[in-house]
Amino acid sequence: MFAIGRRGVLLGAGALVLAGGAFGLSACNGSSGGAAINEDDVVLGQADAPVTLIEYASSTCPHCADFHAEVFERLKENYIDTGKLRYVFREFPTNPAPVAVAGFQLARCGGASPEQYFTRLGEVFRQQRSGALFASGSMEGVRQKFIEIGGAAGLSQEQVIQCINDEAGAQRVRRIVEAANRDFQVSGTPTFVLNGRKVEDPSVVTYEGLARLIEAELAS
């Protein structure tokens, strides 16, 4: 996992101009969350699915990118789309956290549906894995990458910039992070919660390991 402590969670969507200069840093605060679904969650699957999986993940976490590249589509095909699993994504930024928050904001931009959200997030993950997202080594380069991803999704440059600078995004992520620390002691990403219980089995990041855990829940 890409580990961070509570004091290591650094946010700043409202201050994130992505036009050069340093990333903004601030502490997290607020509350809400737990295993119950809330308005900050991005959800796929049927509400009456017998198993609920919550994933805390970051758009800048390489292990999260690996999971979504190597496991997520099979999980969706075999469990979410078949009505067996309700999947809940919760945004938990890792360094550089302002970029992570901007990635979440881009994914949500323009009232995106859950499907649109994961398509955009998947592209952020793809560019993160390839090294393209941070290839320029500058904030301007990151900003341009987000504009490119948004453009491919039908968003204008103005929409992308407005979304990634919306302070409401930072406030939302602060709520999620504080609740994650309070309810499940989340200290790194990805972290999974299966039917209300935090998963400690390291095999959860593989399809085989996750499928085994889900099947056990279905059998019970």
Side-chain angles (χ1 to χ4, degrees):
M1 288 187 178
F2 192 87
I4 55 173
R6 174 181 290 205
R7 293 183 180 274
V9 179
L10 310 174
L11 309 178
L16 180 58
V17 180
L18 286 180
F23 289 106
L25 310 180
S26 63
C28 61
N29 53 43
S31 64
S32 76
I37 307 303
N38 65 75
E39 63 182 4
D40 292 330
D41 296 332
V42 184
V43 183
L44 291 174
Q46 298 179 11
D48 61 352
V51 178
T52 297
L53 178 71
I54 300 171
E55 180 188 2
Y56 290 91
S58 173
S59 61
T60 55
C61 164
H63 303 293
C64 302
D66 290 344
F67 177 83
H68 279 259
E70 299 168 5
V71 178
F72 181 74
E73 286 303 322
R74 294 175 68 187
L75 177 73
K76 185 175 184 298
E77 179 181 357
N78 295 327
Y79 289 101
I80 301 172
D81 292 347
T82 58
K84 297 177 182 178
L85 179 74
R86 194 179 195 192
Y87 169 81
V88 181
F89 186 88
R90 291 184 176 167
E91 300 162 337
F92 195 93
T94 54
N95 291 325
V99 175
V101 176
F104 298 145
Q105 288 296 92
L106 172 61
R108 289 180 183 261
C109 194
S113 67
E115 290 76 13
Q116 290 172 319
Y117 180 98
F118 287 109
T119 296
R120 297 175 191 176
L121 182 65
E123 181 60 19
V124 173
F125 279 142
R126 188 187 71 78
Q127 296 216 24
Q128 183 224 115
R129 291 183 93 211
S130 71
L133 186 62
F134 297 108
S136 70
S138 71
M139 296 295 279
E140 174 62 21
V142 174
R143 185 178 76 93
Q144 288 301 322
K145 282 297 177 185
F146 282 137
I147 290 171
E148 289 174 14
I149 294 170
L155 300 170
S156 69
Q157 175 174 320
E158 291 73 20
Q159 282 179 295
V160 172
I161 293 173
Q162 182 178 11
C163 286
I164 64 178
N165 285 287
D166 185 357
E167 180 60 25
Q171 295 170 358
R172 180 190 69 250
V173 172
R174 290 187 183 103
R175 289 194 298 268
I176 295 170
V177 168
E178 183 66 16
N181 280 295
R182 183 191 67 233
D183 298 328
F184 299 114
Q185 296 75 56
V186 175
S187 59
T189 58
T191 290
F192 297 91
V193 177
L194 188 62
N195 275 355
R197 298 183 299 275
K198 182 179 176 181
V199 179
E200 304 291 353
D201 186 339
S203 72
V204 70
V205 296
T206 68
Y207 177 78
E208 292 73 19
L210 181 54
R212 174 175 52 80
L213 295 170
I214 293 171
E215 291 291 342
E217 290 295 319
L218 290 169
S220 65

